[in-house]
Each structure stands twice: as structure tokens, then as C-alpha cells.
Amino acid sequence: MSKKQLHRMPPPTNLEGGDEGCGILHVDMDAFFVSVELRERPELRGSPVIVGGVGARGVVSSASYEARDRGVHSAMPMSRARRLCPEAVVLPVDHGKYAVVSAEVMEIFRTVTPLVEPLSLDEAFLDVSGARRRMGSPASIGQTIRAEVAGRLGITCSVGVAGTKFVAKLASTRCKPDGLFVVPVGETVPFLHALPIGALWGVGESTEQRLRALGPRTVGDLARMSRDVLCRRLGGALGAHLHDLSWGRDPRRVVTDTPDRSISGEETFPRDVADPEVVRRELLRLSERVAARLRHAEVAGRTVAIKLRRADFSTITRARTLGEPTDMARDIYHTVTSLYEASGLVGTPLRLVGVRVANLVERAGTVHQMALGEGDSAWREAERAVDRLTTRFGAGAIGPASLIRRPASSEHDEVAE
DNA sequence: TCTGGGGTCCTGCGGCTG
DNA sequence: TCTGCAGCCGCAGGACCC
């Protein structure tokens, strides 16, 4: 069960509880991808709609509440979603479109406070402590935001108001869809203690099973456990973190600018692929994609990693740290193919390959070192020229000759023998 | 039933270094 | 020169989140 499903209830909007000390808002768009699609397809309102991968191995990215009532939820395999809800309209994911609407949503938030921390395309934390005098209480600011988003963008959102990020997030989940929920500071602990342990941020399926073996069923049960026992059984960091959360202690502030730590790309094949040449071509494509994103973000990375998932879903990762940071597809591709050759999985049927670059640094600090090699600067210019053409004519306008699709067979048709 | 893609963080281990 | 130790770093894997 996903976190977002845990507390599905009629949307309460409680403004009378008192919001003194509640400076944190968590704003979560309702079924965001579906809501954006429905702006263009209003005739589908009220029907089950699913946005997700339409290929053989697609999963649900977003489902309308009509589809959720049939048991469909995000991350569910599309094949199962279609069985549960055969009449659902299934639409492909269009990240570019959602990013545009997301930017407009964040702009609305920033008219309220500069302290906005986006968590993803469809949710953000806002610290509105400093906006009280100008805009009123946190709860009324939440109502203003909901009205602005609905009025200007035609989509709904839910707002949680609390004294900490974690509780604000639980509060927005409690009032979905299209609601607002305040957890007064004085009621934080009773509010938390009534929840199941799975509601805690950091408790997924695996940790929940381990916790169940220890006995607690609710956050209150967990809070009354010895902190030492939790740390011993779950590890120091997780044990202490969960114990703190269970008593409403969450010192994390709203942070407006968190630098990326890694940039990655991965691809699941429609069918498992054993042919090393096809795998290498996919690694080249992913290297190109990741390098372009690094250059666009004006960062370079020192650690290059490969991810290989076998047909049985077991996954290995291999990484190598380079002498100097790079943002060049040629370097990334050479590293990942070398890791692939050394992985022992050449010729093994694979369902997914991925490329990741980590240990990122701002490129301004790396230019001198990287320009030392003459060959490098020529390649750098070539890759920058590709960036310029791609910006002007779109992705796919230019690329390595080895990625040009041959007319007789499509890339992914070359499946395992 | 059969599991995407993009991330972050934590843990444990081994190697290196002073 | 060898050994023990602590600290750091890189790596691999797992768990989690949206």
C-alpha cells in the first residue's frame, strides 16, 4: 500500500483547530499527472483515467480517484491496472507538460513566501512563518493557495498545516483530495500516536515487517519502545529517526536550494536483451542522455556507475571513480562499457540497464583540468555543438551513427536468444 | 501480479594512509 | 620493519520516496 493511500477519508477542511506555531505547509497536488491531462480532455472528468507507461512493462504513474476506487494505485503494473479497471482511459506520460504546469504551481507558492522546497513535480514544503503579517494565519494562507491554484491552473491540491515538515505531510495526506488539514502543535503527539507505523516517513514494506516482528502496530506503540532497542534492531540512524518522528520531533527546516548529488538515466527493455551489441548501444544512448543533462545543469561528476537488472529482477551496480570530473558522453560511455565487460553479465539476458554519474561538482571549478587534453577539448566542442543542435531542433536531431535505427529491425527487437 | 524512472540516504565492508 | 589502530574513502547493495 502506498503512503498516499493510507488515510483516504472524506476531505476534511478543519480551520477551527488553531494553527498557532504551525509555520510549515505541505502542498500536494491531487492526482497531478491525471489532473493536467484532464485540462485538455475535460470530457474525461468523472471517468477512471490512468497515466502511465503504455508499453509491455509499463506501470501506473498517476490514477484518477475513480480509478483508485477500483484498486488502481501508482507503481502498479499496467497489466494489473487494466485488469482491475478495464474501462479506464490510459494516457501516456508526458513529463515535459507536467514540468511546465509544475513551474506555474511553484510560482504561485513563491508569491506567498520565498521559502519553498519542491519535493517533486507535484508537492512542496512552504515555510510561511514570515508571511503571517502580510497574508494572515497559516491556515488561511493554505486556503489562499488552494484557491489560486484552482482558479489559475484549473487543478486542485491539498494542504497540510503543522509545526514540522513530517506532520504537515501527514496532514495533507489526511485531507486528500482537495482539502486542508491543520494539526495544532498541542495535538501533534495524539495525532501521530493513533497512526499505523507504516505512516512514518522511512517505514516501507521491509522496515514495517521488521518492526511488526518487534510488536508495535501504531506510532504510539513505537514511541513507547526503548530508543536503544530500536537503534539496535533497525540501525542507529533509522532507529533514532523513527523514534524522534514518533514524538513529533523533526528539526528539518525548509531548504530552498538542494544541489543534485547524481544524475542518471535507465531503460527497461520491452523484452529481455542478451545481445552485448544491443546492450552497448543502449549504454551509449544513456551516456549521451546523462552527459547532456550534466552539461545543461553545468555540473560534472567523478563517479560513473552502471546498473544491470537480470531477467529475474536481481540487480547489480558497479561504479568507478575517475581522476577528474567529466560531463562528456565519450568518457561516460568508455567507463560504463568497461564496467559492463567486467560485470560477468555479458551475454546474460537483461531487462534493464542504467547509467549514473555521481560526486557532482559545479563545472566552473573543473574547466581548467578538463581542458588540459587537446583531444578532450575537441570532443567537448563536438558535444557542445550537439547540445546546441538539440536545443534548436529537438532531441533526436543528431546523435552517434551507431544509434541510427536501421530500417530492417528496431533496436529493441533484438531480444534474448 | 509482476514489478518504470528518477532520485536520496544508510550500512557494511575493504583498502589505503598516517 | 612490522603491527595495530583510527579515520577516510570508494564501492555495493538495500530501502525508501514520489
Side-chain angles (χ1 to χ4, degrees):
Chain A
M1 183 187 283
S2 75
K3 299 274 178 202
K4 289 194 176 185
Q5 281 186 293
L6 279 170
H7 315 295
R8 181 95 196 278
M9 300 171 71
T13 297
N14 66 337
L15 282 169
E16 60 288 333
D19 58 4
E20 200 58 42
C22 294
I24 309 294
L25 267 52
H26 178 258
V27 188
D28 200 343
M29 313 308 294
D30 301 321
F32 182 54
F33 294 179
V34 168
S35 300
V36 173
E37 296 293 345
L38 290 184
R39 299 198 312 172
E40 294 170 10
R41 305 279 299 273
E43 74 277 10
L44 295 178
R45 284 189 198 281
S47 314
V49 177
I50 298 171
V51 171
V54 293
R57 286 172 162 170
V59 299
V60 174
S61 290
S62 178
S64 69
Y65 286 90
E66 292 78 11
R68 293 181 198 202
D69 286 340
R70 305 286 297 274
V72 176
H73 59 80
S74 60
M76 172 182 282
M78 192 62 85
S79 53
R80 181 158 182 238
R82 286 182 194 271
R83 272 198 302 277
L84 284 170
C85 191
E87 72 276 28
V89 176
V90 177
L91 302 170
V93 180
D94 184 347
H95 270 112
K97 195 192 296 179
Y98 313 140
V100 169
V101 180
S102 174
E104 292 171 345
V105 170
M106 299 298 164
E107 243 352 274
I108 291 175
F109 296 167
R110 290 193 185 94
T111 63
V112 172
T113 171
L115 299 177
V116 175
E117 179 180 343
L119 288 183
S120 62
L121 287 179
D122 71 333
E123 59 180 309
F125 286 114
L126 282 68
D127 183 340
V128 298
S129 317
R132 267 181 173 274
R133 189 169 295 174
R134 188 166 51 91
M135 301 197 61
S137 71
S140 63
I141 292 173
Q143 292 290 50
T144 303
I145 288 173
R146 294 197 325 113
E148 280 286 299
V149 170
R152 284 164 60 175
L153 304 178
I155 55 182
T156 64
C157 61
S158 302
V159 178
V161 184
T164 65
K165 289 165 91 169
F166 166 58
V167 178
K169 184 161 170 57
L170 287 176
S172 70
T173 306
R174 165 68 66 98
C175 63
K176 275 192 157 298
D178 197 15
L180 180 143
F181 197 83
V182 180
V183 180
V185 171
E187 292 174 28
T188 296
V189 169
F191 170 77
L192 287 173
H193 284 195
L195 298 173
I197 47 174
L200 288 173
W201 221 2
V203 178
E205 199 180 324
S206 167
T207 307
E208 184 168 352
Q209 277 183 9
R210 277 197 287 166
L211 277 171
R212 281 183 175 277
L214 295 177
R217 293 290 183 271
T218 66
V219 174
D221 296 339
L222 186 144
R224 288 183 286 272
M225 284 182 68
S226 149
R227 188 182 178 91
D228 286 346
V229 169
L230 276 175
C231 289
R232 273 202 305 277
R233 302 299 283 266
L234 300 178
L238 183 59
H241 175 66
L242 295 183
H243 197 254
D244 282 343
L245 290 185
S246 73
W247 286 104
R249 293 189 290 260
D250 180 12
R252 293 169 297 181
R253 302 265 61 91
V254 173
V255 181
T256 55
D257 189 25
T258 44
D260 287 337
R261 301 197 184 267
S262 67
I263 288 179
S264 66
E266 59 189 57
E267 185 78 22
T268 297
F269 297 116
R271 283 189 286 167
D272 300 338
V273 169
D275 184 344
E277 275 315 301
V278 178
V279 172
R280 287 191 196 98
R281 274 209 294 281
E282 192 57 44
L283 289 174
L284 175 57
R285 189 196 315 277
L286 291 168
S287 299
E288 296 276 344
R289 195 203 294 178
V290 168
R293 288 179 54 202
L294 287 166
R295 291 192 294 272
H296 185 254
E298 300 193 328
V299 294
R302 268 188 74 206
T303 303
V304 177
I306 187 177
K307 174 170 168 181
L308 303 170
R309 178 165 289 157
R310 300 183 190 89
D312 67 0
F313 224 72
S314 61
T315 307
I316 69 157
T317 61
R318 294 289 181 268
R320 183 174 299 154
T321 297
L322 311 175
E324 299 295 339
T326 186
D327 60 359
M328 290 168 63
R330 186 186 61 148
D331 295 343
I332 297 168
Y333 176 65
H334 282 163
T335 308
V336 294
T337 47
S338 147
L339 290 168
Y340 172 54
E341 308 298 339
S343 70
L345 295 187
V346 175
T348 300
L350 300 173
R351 65 178 292 137
L352 170 146
V353 295
V355 170
R356 188 169 78 100
V357 176
N359 269 333
L360 303 184
V361 294
E362 285 185 29
R363 199 170 55 217
T366 70
V367 168
H368 176 69
Q369 297 277 18
M370 290 196 296
L372 286 175
E374 272 182 39
D376 275 7
S377 62
W379 271 104
R380 169 166 306 285
E381 259 322 295
E383 295 200 8
R384 288 207 177 292
V386 171
D387 290 344
R388 287 192 291 272
L389 285 167
T390 304
T391 303
R392 188 161 173 196
F393 298 110
I398 185 171
S402 53
L403 292 184
I404 295 172
R405 201 176 284 269
R406 284 171 298 178
S409 69
S410 107
E411 188 75 27
H412 292 149
D413 288 345
E414 301 177 43
V415 295
E417 306 292 314

